[in-house]
Amino acid sequence: GARQRLTRQEKQGVSEKKKKKKKDEMTISLTVQPRIQREKWSLYWKESMMTKTDVLDPVVLKVDEKNTKVADVLQMLSTRMSWPEKQTLLRLEGFEEPWETCVLNGKECMEDSTLADCGITKDNCTVTTVRKILVAEGWKIKTGGLDDSDTDEDDF
């Protein structure tokens, strides 16, 4: 009797290990290398006059590559970094690019694609994301204060 009970417990332990293994296979550690790209945007020319890119520390997210979409990753990163929602960003005249992009091995991953569709696997799981920020140039705010000025190199 004791021998049978032990095998049942062993069987239960084995099936729990299998379940755990399956669960582990469903999630991968996605390394995200975030970048902030600041565009000095000319209101007169309606185009970027200068770009500066800041390299931020990598972030690791646990994701299911088959069900997680690129847009979900960008949202998770945005929340983790405490960035403003992209809907709230001010789109200056002439700027028509997307606010955020995600790149894997030099190829852009579309926001509505799953990570697996983009080619992300547990062996190939480092993406670079870029969040654009527009810095308006060529205008003055007249408040009468001593610090009134246009956008300077130092502000950028």
Side-chain angles (χ1 to χ4, degrees):
R3 177 80 183 124
Q4 271 183 325
R5 250 184 264 134
L6 187 61
T7 28
R8 240 186 249 138
Q9 286 174 341
E10 285 173 350
K11 283 181 187 170
Q12 197 173 0
V14 167
S15 73
E16 282 175 15
K17 280 181 188 166
K18 279 185 185 169
K19 282 180 193 168
K20 189 173 196 266
K21 192 172 185 188
K22 269 190 179 159
K23 192 172 175 130
D24 288 346
E25 285 172 10
M26 288 170 56
T27 61
I28 60 169
S29 294
L30 181 70
T31 303
V32 180
Q33 302 176 135
R35 308 286 186 257
I36 293 287
Q37 180 177 313
R38 287 197 304 261
E39 301 275 354
K40 190 178 221 181
W41 197 261
S42 168
L43 297 174
Y44 180 77
W45 295 107
K46 298 177 182 58
E47 64 182 33
S48 178
M49 302 310 281
M50 187 191 303
T51 301
K52 281 189 181 175
T53 305
D54 297 329
V55 176
L56 306 177
D57 292 334
V59 174
V60 177
L61 302 171
K62 292 273 188 210
V63 293
D64 173 358
E65 75 274 20
K66 290 176 184 66
N67 296 319
T68 307
K69 292 192 181 295
V70 172
D72 301 330
V73 170
L74 292 171
Q75 181 59 50
M76 285 186 252
L77 179 68
S78 190
T79 305
R80 173 89 60 98
M81 304 300 269
S82 303
W83 290 338
E85 293 284 325
K86 41 180 196 187
Q87 300 86 291
T88 65
L89 298 175
L90 180 63
R91 192 171 281 280
L92 297 174
E93 191 178 347
F95 179 77
E96 295 178 7
E97 299 169 34
W99 289 111
E100 296 175 314
T101 53
C102 179
V103 178
L104 173 72
N105 301 335
K107 278 179 49 188
E108 185 175 346
C109 302
M110 304 320 284
E111 286 194 30
D112 56 352
S113 301
T114 65
L115 300 180
D117 290 343
C118 293
I120 294 169
T121 62
K122 69 176 175 44
D123 301 320
N124 187 17
C125 58
T126 300
V127 295
T128 301
T129 63
V130 178
R131 163 66 84 100
K132 294 183 181 110
I133 295 176
L134 299 181
V135 179
E137 188 219 29
W139 54 285
K140 295 183 179 194
I141 299 174
K142 301 277 189 204
T143 59
L146 296 172
D147 57 349
D148 276 356
S149 70
D150 60 359
T151 310
D152 207 0
E153 286 300 311
D154 303 337
D155 301 334
F156 183 65

